[in-house]
């Protein structure tokens, strides 16, 4: 296991087999917001980072740590599958309740994985690289990373309340603590980026916005709901978070262009087309026959 995890001087072990909970743990391993996603996301953000020094190190350090978390969860899943029943008859032999738990297991753990973890989520959907975002814009990536850590911590917290196994809870508490650090860390990185004068809001800060359109649309809240409750929100009045404007509230949005009317479609595509009548239809038919 990764050195920094060994140095923690604890080894969380489950009390016994629990194939059903092993399946649930797959979500924080191979799900959209799981450790496989954040580990690869941070590493790709680091490999693609064009700023040598602290920002590149930050990405690569945390990505390496997250790979350790991948190993940790995969190991726990494997341990939860040790001595798990291989059939319903075996599961229900001594305790009918065990048979019910067996029904919640993932047979692929035993059939495909030989009693080990898989690169899938809790319902068996394979992990894929489309979950990764590495845009090259550090501000955009930092904000996404805050979201990733928030979603990950949320899922771990939910799993914590789904088990009574003290060994599993010990591992989950460690992951919760590290997710706390990572949320704060990415928020601090956002502030550091601003202090260094490298990027501001909105992203991308360097894009030359139209002053006319920004004045008209850039800071106006459009309320399409009944009533004016939204006007009470911070987003409807006062200075904008980017420090470049003032929020305005519009409770009667209006169209700035006429209702769109599409021209006749391409007759070769045989869409239902009100413009394709009479001579047009005859002309098309003659060309095709």
């Amino acid at each position: 296991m990764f050195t920094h995890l060994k140095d923690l001087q604890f080894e969380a072990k489950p009390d016994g087999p629990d194939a059903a909970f092993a399946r649930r743990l797959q979500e924080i391993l191979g799900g959209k917001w799981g450790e496989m996603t954040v580990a690869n996301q941070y590493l790709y953000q680091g490999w693609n980072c064009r700023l040598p020094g602290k920002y590149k190190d930050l990405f690569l350090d945390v990505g390496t740590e997250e790979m350790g978390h991948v190993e940790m969860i995969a190991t726990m899943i494997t341990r939860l599958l040790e001595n798990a029943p291989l059939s319903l008859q075996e599961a229900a032999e001594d305790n009918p309740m065990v048979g019910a738990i067996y029904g919640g297991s993932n047979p692929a753990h035993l059939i495909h994985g030989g009693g080990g973890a898989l690169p899938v989520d809790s319902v068996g959907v394979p992990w894929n690289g489309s979950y990764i975002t590495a845009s090259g814009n550090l501000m955009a990536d930092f904000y996404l990373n805050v979201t990733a850590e928030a979603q990950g911590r949320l899922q771990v917290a939910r799993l914590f309340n789904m088990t009574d196994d003290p060994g599993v809870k010990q591992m989950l508490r460690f992951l919760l603590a590290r997710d706390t650090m990572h949320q704060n860390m990415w928020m601090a990185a956002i502030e550091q980026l601003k202090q260094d004068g490298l990027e501001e809001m909105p992203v991308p800060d360097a894009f030359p916005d139209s002053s006319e359109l920004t004045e008209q649309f850039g800071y106006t809240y459009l309320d399409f709901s009944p009533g004016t409750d939204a006007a009470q929100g911070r987003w409807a009045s006062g200075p904008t978070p980017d420090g470049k404007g003032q929020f305005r509230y519009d409770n009667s949005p209006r169209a700035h262009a006429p209702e769109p009317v599409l021209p006749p479609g391409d007759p070769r595509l045989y869409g239902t087309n009100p413009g394709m009548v009479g001579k047009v239809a005859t002309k098309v038919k003659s060309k095709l026959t």
Side-chain angles (χ1 to χ4, degrees):
M1 189 172 287
F2 280 48
T3 302
H4 81 286
L5 299 182
K6 289 181 179 178
D7 291 344
L8 292 172
Q9 297 183 345
F10 78 82
E11 188 176 16
K13 291 184 178 180
D15 281 348
D18 188 343
F21 196 74
R23 178 179 185 174
R24 295 188 179 196
L25 275 184
Q26 284 285 163
E27 192 62 39
I28 60 170
L29 176 66
K32 178 179 179 180
W33 302 110
E35 300 290 355
M36 289 180 64
T37 296
V38 292
N40 283 283
Q41 178 159 297
Y42 302 160
L43 289 174
Y44 272 92
Q45 288 173 354
W47 293 328
N48 295 345
C49 182
R50 298 178 184 273
L51 293 175
K54 62 188 176 188
Y55 291 111
K56 192 175 187 74
D57 286 354
L58 173 63
F59 285 129
L60 297 179
D61 287 344
V62 187
T64 300
E65 177 188 350
E66 297 289 10
M67 278 297 179
H69 297 175
V70 171
E71 181 183 19
M72 177 183 287
I73 297 169
T75 300
M76 180 59 78
I77 289 172
T78 301
R79 285 176 171 168
L80 286 168
L81 293 170
E82 288 178 4
N83 301 315
L86 301 181
S87 67
L88 181 59
Q89 291 78 10
E90 181 183 350
E93 192 173 62
D94 299 321
N95 188 341
M97 288 299 294
V98 176
I101 295 173
Y102 172 83
S105 64
N106 181 359
H109 273 150
L110 305 176
I111 299 170
H112 297 172
L118 298 167
V120 301
D121 67 11
S122 56
V123 294
V125 176
W127 182 86
N128 69 82
S130 67
Y131 297 157
I132 295 173
T133 298
S135 71
N137 183 290
L138 297 192
M139 185 69 82
D141 286 349
F142 286 162
Y143 271 107
L144 176 63
N145 294 349
V146 173
T147 299
E149 293 291 345
Q151 292 289 344
R153 192 171 192 273
L154 178 62
Q155 292 184 353
V156 173
R158 288 170 173 168
L159 283 168
F160 186 86
N161 291 313
M162 296 180 186
T163 180
D164 295 322
D165 190 306
V168 177
K169 282 183 174 289
Q170 184 185 24
M171 182 198 71
L172 296 178
R173 281 199 179 278
F174 168 76
L175 294 174
L176 287 164
R178 292 310 296 163
D179 285 347
T180 297
M181 168 58 189
H182 292 165
Q183 286 187 44
N184 281 289
M185 179 192 70
W186 293 123
M187 292 295 290
I190 289 169
E191 294 306 312
Q192 181 72 71
L193 201 63
K194 294 177 181 178
Q195 290 172 17
D196 289 345
L198 293 172
E199 191 75 47
E200 290 283 351
M201 293 295 288
V203 176
D205 175 55
F207 183 81
D209 285 322
S210 162
S211 58
E212 179 184 352
L213 291 177
T214 299
E215 174 64 26
Q216 187 175 7
F217 299 110
Y219 300 109
T220 301
Y221 180 88
L222 303 178
D223 189 345
F224 294 97
S225 305
T228 58
D229 290 348
Q232 302 170 24
R234 170 67 181 82
W235 51 80
S237 63
T240 57
D242 63 13
K244 300 175 183 178
Q246 293 282 326
F247 282 126
R248 291 185 297 274
Y249 173 76
D250 185 350
N251 67 341
S252 56
R254 55 205 173 280
H256 294 274
E259 182 179 352
V261 178
L262 296 176
D266 187 335
R268 296 171 300 172
L269 301 180
Y270 302 105
T272 303
N273 189 347
M276 187 175 152
V277 295
K279 294 181 179 179
V280 176
T282 304
K283 183 178 180 181
V284 172
K285 183 176 180 181
S286 65
K287 284 187 176 182
L288 296 175
T289 55

